[in-house]
């Protein structure tokens, strides 16, 4: 009896020692302590029947070091049996989730979405293997089963990848289900708002593509001969109707995006003094809180402008500009949104004060690429300055600003068509109709127009091909 009890105590002590090293390794990884996690993983390597856990921990360790290919090899070599561990973890689900995370950091968001979908399938299959719950009697399920269901976390990961992969409607459905559990996560509310905005912009773009003819500057051509007329594309599409449903009903619309952004602002303190819960992510600290609040304010100002509410847009953008240590991209957006709101409120003089070229700085610490590079930011500012001058009926100043913008504007730029239309508007307003028509004809597409039946044997018209203008 004494020998048996001593053997049982040793066995139980070995199990606890194994779990202790495992938890220490995981805690070190959460704290980004790579040396400590490597030491604990090495101690686990001498434990019997721990090959699967060691492989997963080593893969996580290499992931934190940025060795994604090596991490993927370690995951592939790990055993996927048993299906459920003693801690209630579904190994196939964890395997596909980790693969999804690796492909996310490798920039392969569509492939990451596929692996997260596989993880969801394995998670649901593991739950279906248990007997159905009966409230009248005890189910007989072990307590560890409570940790099997990771559906909401997987949906959160899947929704983010679908958003990055350009699938806003699918991302909205995934994140909407996840927010029912993680409703105190301000990041999740922001992402849900971004899916709504992305879905709205996609609908706007599809609507414009249906309305356009063959050009970014010319919508259609009517008449024939001397009476032929060009119908130009509108500079800014109107606000699409939302089908009349209540804003409180979840749908990928600007109204629901506005509600999501207000929820995020409510959950974020003005000053990041205390950590903020963001399950399933780690708590947000002071710097992350302020950065997230700035992003929410920028999105809220944009949504308010698209909804035709310049008062709220001005409030959000000014609050954004009052924040300290803003990145250059958000500073530029804050000034642009403030100026646009002021123009809509009839304060064009004050709007010009927010459109200063001094905003363009060559910050070596921030990459000068994409939509917010120095050259592109300068073009955006100059075109907005020209627009404000057009509103003020100061066409000479508007033309001068457009000429400065065209110096750095490439023909394949998405802003090119807007610059052409704005130039044509200034010429029309000053009475130079022939110059405006020549400008539009010069920047049509090479796509052949349909032959004009009334023109008889006239040559077919051609249009120059330009890329669609980003709204």
């Amino acid at each position: 009896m004494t020998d048996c009890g001593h053997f049982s105590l040793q066995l139980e002590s070995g199990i606890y020692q194994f779990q202790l090293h495992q938890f220490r390794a995981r805690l070190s990884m959460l704290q980004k302590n790579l040396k400590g996690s490597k030491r604990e993983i090495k101690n686990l390597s001498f434990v019997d029947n721990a090959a699967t856990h060691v492989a997963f921990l080593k893969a996580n360790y290499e992931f934190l070091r940025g060795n994604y290919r090596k991490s993927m090899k370690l995951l592939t070599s790990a055993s996927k049996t048993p299906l459920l561990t003693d801690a209630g973890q579904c190994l196939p689900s964890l395997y596909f989730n980790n693969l999804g995370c690796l492909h996310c950091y490798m920039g392969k968001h569509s492939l990451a979405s596929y692996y997260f979908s596989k993880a969801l399938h394995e998670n649901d299959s593991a739950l279906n293997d248990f007997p159905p719950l009966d409230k009248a009697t005890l189910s007989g399920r072990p307590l560890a089963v409570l940790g099997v269901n990771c559906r909401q976390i997987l949906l959160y990961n899947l929704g983010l990848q679908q958003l990055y992969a350009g699938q806003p409607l699918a991302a909205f459905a995934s994140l909407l289900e996840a927010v029912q559990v993680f409703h105190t996560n301000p990041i999740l509310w922001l992402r849900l708002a971004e899916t709504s905005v992305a879905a709205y912009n996609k609908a706007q773009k599809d609507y414009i593509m249906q309305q356009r003819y063959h050009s970014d500057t010319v919508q259609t051509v009517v008449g024939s001969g001397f009476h032929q007329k060009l119908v130009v594309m509108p500079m800014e599409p109107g606000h699409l109707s939302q089908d009349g449903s209540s804003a409180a009903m979840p749908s990928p619309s600007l109204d629901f995006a506005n509600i999501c952004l207000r929820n995020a602002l409510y959950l974020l303190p003005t000053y990041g003094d205390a950590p903020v819960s963001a399950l399933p992510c780690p708590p947000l600290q002071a710097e992350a809180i302020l950065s997230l609040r700035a992003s929410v304010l920028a999105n809220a100002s944009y949504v308010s402008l698209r909804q035709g509410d310049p008062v709220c847009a001005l409030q959000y953008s000014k609050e954004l500009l009052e924040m300290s240590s803003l990145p250059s991209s958000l500073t530029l957006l804050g000034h642009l949104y403030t100026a646009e709101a002021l123009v809509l409120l009839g304060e064009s003089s004050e709007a010009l004060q927010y459109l200063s070229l001094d905003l363009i700085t060559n910050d070596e610490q921030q990459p000068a690429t994409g939509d917010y590079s120095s050259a592109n930011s300068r073009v955006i500012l100059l075109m907005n300055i020209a627009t404000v001058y057009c509103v003020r009926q100061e066409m000479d100043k508007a033309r001068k600003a457009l000429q400065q913008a065209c110096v750095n504007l490439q023909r394949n730029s998405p802003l090119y068509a807007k610059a052409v239309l704005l130039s044509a508007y200034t010429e029309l307003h000053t009475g130079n109709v022939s110059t405006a028509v020549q400008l539009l004809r010069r920047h049509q597409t090479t796509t052949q127009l349909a032959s004009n039946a009334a023109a008889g044997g006239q040559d077919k018209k051609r249009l120059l091909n330009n890329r669609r203008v980003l709204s």
Side-chain angles (χ1 to χ4, degrees):
M1 292 293 292
T2 304
D3 292 339
C4 292
H6 180 66
F7 175 76
S8 177
L9 185 62
Q10 282 184 333
L11 181 61
E12 194 171 320
S13 176
I15 295 175
Y16 289 147
Q17 188 176 10
F18 161 71
Q19 293 179 346
L20 181 62
H21 287 302
Q22 182 183 4
F23 291 143
R24 280 179 176 175
R26 293 170 62 181
L27 182 60
S28 298
M29 290 180 185
L30 288 175
Q31 295 176 337
K32 302 297 187 295
N33 182 7
L34 297 182
K35 288 185 178 180
S37 58
K38 183 177 182 180
R39 181 174 59 253
E40 297 299 335
I41 293 173
K42 187 175 181 181
N43 293 332
L44 278 172
S45 303
F46 301 104
V47 180
D48 296 334
N49 301 323
T52 301
H53 296 85
V54 171
F56 272 86
L57 288 173
K58 283 184 177 180
N60 198 354
Y61 173 76
E62 295 297 336
F63 167 76
L64 293 176
R65 293 183 61 194
N67 300 330
Y68 303 133
R69 296 288 182 183
K70 187 174 181 180
S71 177
M72 198 178 305
K73 289 182 180 180
L74 289 168
L75 277 177
T76 306
S77 65
S79 174
K80 312 303 181 298
T81 56
L83 183 63
L84 293 176
T85 64
D86 296 336
Q89 297 171 330
C90 178
L91 289 182
S93 180
L94 291 178
Y95 168 72
F96 287 117
N97 175 76
N98 291 354
L99 281 181
C101 293
L102 284 169
H103 284 88
C104 166
Y105 277 83
M106 294 168 66
K108 302 178 180 180
H109 302 297
S110 297
L111 199 54
S113 301
Y114 168 76
Y115 284 118
F116 285 129
S117 300
K118 293 278 290 181
L120 269 173
H121 175 73
E122 294 294 340
N123 180 83
D124 295 339
S125 299
L127 291 176
N128 292 333
D129 291 339
F130 294 102
L133 289 174
D134 188 0
K135 295 182 180 180
T137 60
L138 296 176
S139 64
R141 296 182 177 182
L143 187 61
V145 173
L146 295 175
V148 174
N149 190 9
C150 298
R151 179 176 177 81
Q152 307 303 326
I153 298 177
L154 295 173
L155 282 170
Y156 181 88
N157 292 340
L158 175 62
L160 290 182
Q161 298 314 301
Q162 290 170 334
L163 175 61
Y164 297 151
Q167 305 171 10
L169 293 178
F172 180 83
S174 300
L175 295 179
L176 186 63
E177 186 173 348
V179 82
Q180 297 177 19
V181 174
F182 305 120
H183 51 270
T184 59
N185 185 347
I187 304 178
L188 182 51
W189 284 111
L190 173 61
R191 299 304 180 210
L192 195 57
E194 288 177 345
T195 60
S196 301
V197 172
Y200 171 81
N201 287 337
K202 186 175 184 300
Q204 285 276 65
K205 184 177 180 181
D206 293 342
Y207 174 78
I208 293 172
M209 293 296 291
Q210 293 174 1
Q211 297 298 317
R212 65 187 291 190
Y213 192 61
H214 291 290
S215 170
D216 289 318
T217 56
V218 178
Q219 182 173 354
T220 186
V221 179
V222 296
S224 62
F226 181 76
H227 301 285
Q228 190 177 74
K229 307 293 182 184
L230 298 177
V231 180
V232 299
M233 291 292 294
M235 287 289 290
E236 197 68 40
H239 179 69
L240 292 179
S241 60
Q242 299 288 339
D243 75 0
S245 59
S246 172
M249 297 299 295
S251 61
S253 63
L254 292 182
D255 295 331
F256 186 70
N258 196 9
I259 294 178
C260 294
L261 292 169
R262 290 183 180 182
N263 289 344
L265 285 175
Y266 177 78
L267 293 170
L268 290 171
T270 306
Y271 305 99
D273 298 331
V276 174
S277 174
L279 291 175
C281 307
L284 299 175
Q285 303 301 324
E287 185 177 352
I289 292 173
L290 296 178
S291 177
L292 180 60
R293 185 175 181 83
S295 298
V296 173
L297 287 172
N299 279 272
S301 182
Y302 172 81
V303 170
S304 297
L305 286 172
R306 300 297 290 179
Q307 287 184 306
D309 187 0
V311 176
C312 288
L314 184 62
Q315 177 185 352
Y316 290 133
S317 60
K318 284 191 172 182
E319 186 178 349
L320 172 65
L321 294 177
E322 289 173 359
M323 299 182 66
S324 60
S325 303
L326 279 178
S328 59
S329 58
L330 287 181
T331 302
L332 176 63
L333 288 178
H335 281 79
L336 291 176
Y337 294 159
T338 303
E340 184 174 350
L342 288 170
V343 169
L344 293 175
L345 292 172
E347 301 291 340
S348 57
S349 299
E350 187 179 353
L352 284 173
Q353 300 175 9
Y354 287 91
L355 298 175
S356 172
L357 293 179
D358 295 337
L359 293 171
I360 310 302
T361 58
N362 293 321
D363 191 352
E364 297 180 355
Q365 295 180 355
Q366 296 182 2
T369 57
D371 293 338
Y372 304 111
S373 62
S374 297
N376 201 35
S377 299
R378 181 181 176 85
V379 172
I380 293 172
L381 272 176
L382 286 169
M383 289 188 60
N384 278 272
I385 291 172
T387 303
V388 176
Y389 280 134
C390 287
V391 173
R392 293 170 56 84
Q393 308 297 319
E394 299 178 10
M395 296 302 164
D396 292 337
K397 293 182 179 180
R399 190 182 291 110
K400 183 178 179 181
L402 279 173
Q403 290 174 354
Q404 294 179 11
C406 291
V407 172
N408 297 321
L409 189 59
Q410 301 296 327
R411 196 175 185 84
N412 60 349
S413 170
L415 298 172
Y416 188 80
K418 282 192 174 182
V420 171
L421 290 175
L422 196 55
S423 299
Y425 175 81
T426 58
E427 297 297 337
L428 286 172
H429 198 276
T430 53
N432 301 326
V433 178
S434 59
T435 305
V437 172
Q438 291 176 5
L439 187 64
L440 290 173
R441 289 187 182 278
R442 194 184 312 128
H443 298 285
Q444 291 174 347
T445 68
T446 55
T447 305
Q448 209 172 35
L449 288 175
S451 59
N452 197 328
Q458 290 184 356
D459 294 335
K460 298 179 181 180
K461 311 297 181 183
R462 295 179 180 272
L463 297 172
L464 291 173
N465 188 19
N466 296 322
R467 291 181 62 187
R468 175 66 204 148
V469 182
L470 296 179
S471 57

